[in-house]
Amino acid sequence: MSEQPVHYGLMGEFDSAQTLLEGAETVRGQGYRSIEAFSPFPVEGLAAVLGNQRDWIPLWTLLGGIAGAGISYFIQYFSAVHAYPLNIGGRPLHSWPAFIPISIEFTILGAAVCAALALLIVDRLPKLYHPVFNVPRFEHASRDGFFLCLRSDDPKFDQQATAASLRQAGARQIWEVPR
Amino acid sequence: MSDTAKRAGTAKEFPVTHGALTYAGVTDQVCGVFQDRPASRGWMWGVVLSLLLVALFLVSIGYLVVTGVGIWGINVPVAWGFAITNYVWWIGIGMAGTFISAALLLLRQQWRTAINRAAETMTVFAVAIAGLFPVFHLGRFWFAYWVAAYPDTMNVWPNWRSSLTWDFTAISVYLIVSLMFWYFGLLPDLASVRDRAVGRFRQRFYGLLALGWRGDALHWHRHELFLKLLAGLAVPLVFSVHSMVALDFSIGDTPGWHSTIFPPFFVAGALYSGFALVLVISIPLRAGYRLHDLITHRHLESMAKAMLACGLIIAYSYLVETFIAWYSGNKYETYLVINRTTGPYAPVYWTTIACNVLVPQLLWFRRIRLNLKALFGISLVVLVGMWLERFVITIISLHREYVPSQWHMFYPSVWDWTTLFGSLGVFAFLFLVYLRLMPVVSMHEVRKLIMPKRAES
């Protein structure tokens, strides 16, 4: 903790999803907060252990749906009543039941597009370079490897002590992650 | 394992995966298909044949564009010929992929896992092909964008009361949402492919597509959440899209079209043909790429059951359609039924009944559901039957409307057939190319599926 750490953090590899989950719980219990975990498939409960607090994606999906519905209905109303009124068999210009199908489709489109954008923004993707890719065995994270990374920006981070914590948590191999 | 279960003959279900699959084994089995092994001879022949059909399609469309829709067999009153028949058929096929992915995800049906990717891919290609038909059916396809709403200098807006405008919106939205569903589901698998790729170009290609996915636990958490949300949006979308296609017909007052049963009837038919094509794709895929551990009898049997269920709804719809024509007392509706069953196109109608109602009843027998050759054959029959059904609905209803002076026969021209078979070739070509480029099984979902098994051992 004395000098500015030059690397991103320390990474340990675990044997299985179960040991990774237990390891994450252990280091979390020791007071680490800047923890990242990597696995080849979603591990139930891992996000909660890492301190995931609030999911914003559902809210953005809802807002996107409302926006899609409102905008598409308004366009139909505006064009049919004001911009281009057509008298078709004396039917009312604002024939709202006929506007429903397109509004439904745009509700779904707005919600889906906003959900996707929210996912990318919250995840900070695309991000083609990331320090963890420097770890030689990290290519196994998309295959059969389970990794835990303790970042150096954690106030509790200390080269020796953190390595010991990782080992105690069950890591079978430990690397420094260069920036 | 599979043989003993087959013997048992009870209600016992097959496992979703076979053998001692490991995390790495899943990746190698799925990625090895296109990353380690060279293209097989069968694949090469498939590409050559489908490319010939693609050429046929391009020639047909090219001739159509420079000449006009007169090269088809359409006339007045049968203005909607093969183009609309093909369109409804293709779009129907495109419904099953998203249904398998979305509805079965929400219902936690584990058997969807190994086939959902193939089904989603099928959906994207089928919908893209379907969209071409109404556009080229316009004759002057370069005006197709007039259906979209935008503030143009002509000060003309689309007619929002028209079901064709609804349909255009529905198909466009469906294509976009299906693409998103497919791509975001593929994202973690693209990372697996990237990490396995050999060669700078391939690493860059897959690296760019994978957006730098690194398997971060929080990313996984949000990814699952996102896919569930998207599935919740996609299920009503699937039902709405084919309902809109049905409204193209039932909003019109033509006898045979103007009926309230059309939206659910069309949705059932869409899923019916979609499940059939998923089976037609996955049975050879499983055999050709030796994916027996991943695509098991469980998948194929479940799909056969789903297909049978859809077929029963279709049979019921045919029955109700006929009953209502009589019960309504409307002489035009009654005549339509008489004309459909005994008129000049009667053989087409009875073939439809045979393909869609009679033959699929074989699926009641477990022995036939487990016989892959029989299952493949029945699926092909269903695909043909559903195409004929679209023909029956479109052409038989149109060719004899209210007054006999409007009566006219429709005979498909050579170009009608070349466009139909060409579009099949386009689909086959796109799918074959996909097989050599991308994983055809959702690897991360299979890994998650086999996790508890490993914990036990």
Side-chain angles (χ1 to χ4, degrees):
Chain A
M1 271 240 296
S2 48
E3 77 276 14
Q4 185 70 22
V6 284
H7 45 72
Y8 182 77
L10 283 176
M11 182 180 274
E13 187 181 357
F14 290 74
D15 290 326
S16 69
Q18 193 57 38
T19 51
L20 176 67
L21 189 61
E22 287 161 9
E25 277 166 355
T26 310
V27 291
R28 180 100 183 147
Q30 288 174 347
Y32 289 96
R33 287 295 172 269
S34 302
I35 315 169
E36 290 175 7
F38 305 92
S39 56
F41 57 86
V43 178
E44 206 85 44
L46 193 53
V49 172
L50 297 185
N52 184 49
Q53 285 178 339
R54 191 171 158 76
D55 294 314
W56 291 99
I57 296 175
L59 180 65
W60 282 107
T61 310
L62 177 68
L63 293 177
I66 293 171
I71 292 169
S72 62
Y73 194 92
F74 173 75
I75 288 176
Q76 293 179 79
Y77 169 79
F78 171 77
S79 64
V81 177
H82 298 289
Y84 191 57
L86 276 179
N87 185 341
I88 298 170
R91 290 181 183 82
L93 291 176
H94 183 200
S95 45
W96 65 268
F99 299 167
I100 297 293
I102 289 183
S103 303
I104 290 174
E105 299 303 325
F106 273 90
T107 308
I108 293 174
L109 183 67
V113 169
C114 274
L117 288 178
L119 177 78
L120 291 177
I121 291 168
V122 178
D123 279 358
R124 291 171 204 278
L125 290 177
K127 192 184 186 90
L128 297 182
Y129 174 77
H130 193 276
V132 292
F133 286 127
N134 291 321
V135 172
R137 259 187 68 81
F138 192 72
E139 62 184 43
H140 285 262
S142 67
R143 183 178 163 83
D144 55 359
F146 300 88
F147 299 89
L148 201 61
C149 180
L150 296 176
R151 285 205 307 270
S152 60
D153 59 8
D154 197 315
K156 209 175 142 42
F157 186 85
D158 175 87
Q159 185 75 13
Q160 308 300 327
T162 304
S165 301
L166 271 174
R167 210 167 286 284
Q168 191 193 341
R172 66 165 187 229
Q173 202 178 350
I174 292 172
W175 294 272
E176 271 183 16
V177 184
R179 260 185 208 283
Chain B
M1 177 65 208
S2 86
D3 288 288
T4 47
K6 214 185 290 179
R7 284 269 157 214
T10 56
K12 200 177 150 206
E13 281 181 323
F14 292 110
V16 184
T17 54
H18 275 316
L21 274 178
T22 60
Y23 299 139
V26 173
T27 317
D28 290 336
Q29 209 169 348
V30 176
C31 291
V33 163
F34 63 99
Q35 281 193 311
D36 304 344
R37 267 174 270 156
S40 66
R41 198 169 282 268
W43 185 87
M44 298 276 200
W45 277 112
V47 166
V48 169
L49 281 176
S50 60
L51 264 180
L52 286 175
L53 288 172
V54 170
L56 191 65
F57 187 71
L58 293 178
V59 169
S60 310
I61 295 296
Y63 183 47
L64 177 82
V65 167
V66 299
T67 315
V69 288
I71 66 166
W72 289 338
I74 52 175
N75 51 52
V76 173
V78 191
W80 283 8
F82 267 29
I84 301 304
T85 306
N86 296 343
Y87 158 69
V88 179
W89 186 66
W90 273 119
I91 200 83
I93 284 171
M95 293 294 134
T98 306
F99 181 80
I100 287 178
S101 291
L104 301 184
L105 173 74
L106 296 177
L107 295 172
R108 299 179 194 214
Q109 292 294 310
Q110 290 187 328
W111 61 267
R112 69 179 265 290
T113 305
I115 48 161
N116 62 346
R117 178 67 40 73
E120 283 164 31
T121 311
M122 177 194 91
T123 288
V124 171
F125 293 154
V127 174
I129 291 170
L132 294 176
F133 284 103
V135 169
F136 285 108
H137 186 253
L138 291 174
R140 297 180 183 140
F141 74 93
W142 48 94
F143 292 139
Y145 70 97
W146 284 13
V147 201
Y150 64 101
D152 62 322
T153 51
M154 297 179 285
N155 279 317
V156 176
W157 289 84
N159 178 11
W160 308 110
R161 299 174 190 88
S162 160
S163 52
L164 300 181
T165 314
W166 304 345
D167 195 29
F168 168 75
T169 316
I171 300 299
S172 313
V173 170
Y174 186 62
L175 184 60
I176 296 170
V177 174
S178 305
L179 261 174
M180 282 176 22
F181 206 100
W182 173 78
Y183 177 67
F184 281 96
L186 194 59
L187 202 56
D189 287 348
L190 285 170
S192 301
V193 178
R194 170 199 66 200
D195 293 341
R196 241 178 141 269
V198 182
R200 202 78 195 120
F201 174 75
R202 289 201 183 99
Q203 284 170 345
R204 282 201 180 143
F205 176 73
Y206 291 112
L208 284 173
L209 284 177
L211 305 181
W213 181 270
R214 51 186 191 273
D216 189 304
L218 296 178
H219 290 184
W220 276 123
H221 169 74
R222 292 183 205 117
H223 186 254
E224 280 200 311
L225 184 70
F226 167 76
L227 282 186
K228 268 181 208 151
L229 282 168
L230 211 54
L233 292 167
V235 172
L237 184 63
V238 167
F239 286 88
S240 79
V241 169
H242 219 69
S243 298
M244 305 272 185
V245 177
L247 290 177
D248 285 344
F249 293 88
S250 59
I251 292 278
D253 64 356
T254 304
W257 287 3
H258 198 55
S259 96
T260 48
I261 200 176
F262 259 44
F265 168 41
F266 266 49
V267 172
L271 297 178
Y272 195 30
S273 53
F275 276 115
L277 191 61
V278 177
L279 278 168
V280 165
I281 288 175
S282 46
I283 291 172
L285 193 70
R286 174 177 190 263
Y289 287 134
R290 301 184 206 294
L291 297 174
H292 298 76
D293 290 346
L294 292 168
I295 303 176
T296 67
H297 275 291
R298 172 77 176 279
H299 300 98
L300 302 173
E301 206 197 349
S302 301
M303 275 194 288
K305 284 178 187 164
M307 200 164 80
L308 178 61
C310 293
L312 292 175
I313 301 175
I314 287 293
Y316 171 78
S317 302
Y318 291 158
L319 211 64
V320 168
E321 225 182 5
T322 312
F323 172 74
I324 292 293
W326 167 75
Y327 187 68
S328 67
N330 181 322
K331 64 180 176 184
Y332 299 106
E333 289 285 343
T334 317
Y335 176 70
L336 176 85
V337 170
I338 293 168
N339 180 41
R340 195 149 60 187
T341 47
T342 61
Y345 291 112
V348 180
Y349 180 70
W350 291 112
T351 317
T352 308
I353 297 291
C355 293
N356 285 352
V357 179
L358 298 182
V359 174
Q361 302 309 321
L362 291 170
L363 294 173
W364 285 103
F365 301 102
R366 189 177 168 91
R367 189 187 290 268
I368 289 178
R369 289 201 302 268
L370 295 181
N371 181 338
L372 297 188
K373 281 186 191 122
L375 197 54
F376 186 79
I378 292 173
S379 305
L380 282 180
V381 167
V382 167
L383 281 172
V384 172
M386 282 310 297
W387 189 87
L388 291 173
E389 186 210 285
R390 305 324 192 181
F391 181 90
V392 167
I393 291 172
T394 311
I395 282 138
I396 301 188
S397 306
L398 277 176
H399 91 122
R400 287 186 180 174
E401 276 199 55
Y402 297 97
V403 275
S405 61
Q406 287 182 332
W407 291 7
H408 210 303
M409 287 296 284
F410 167 84
Y411 297 109
S413 73
V414 176
W415 298 105
D416 278 313
W417 291 111
T418 55
T419 315
L420 169 62
F421 288 108
S423 71
L424 291 171
V426 173
F427 179 84
F429 176 70
L430 290 173
F431 204 87
L432 287 169
V433 169
Y434 175 83
L435 286 182
R436 293 297 304 168
L437 279 181
M438 305 266 173
V440 76
V441 172
S442 174
M443 294 182 282
H444 66 276
E445 285 175 286
V446 176
R447 280 189 214 114
K448 194 181 177 193
L449 206 59
I450 60 175
M451 183 185 72
K453 272 192 188 167
R454 287 200 43 174
E456 280 165 29
S457 65

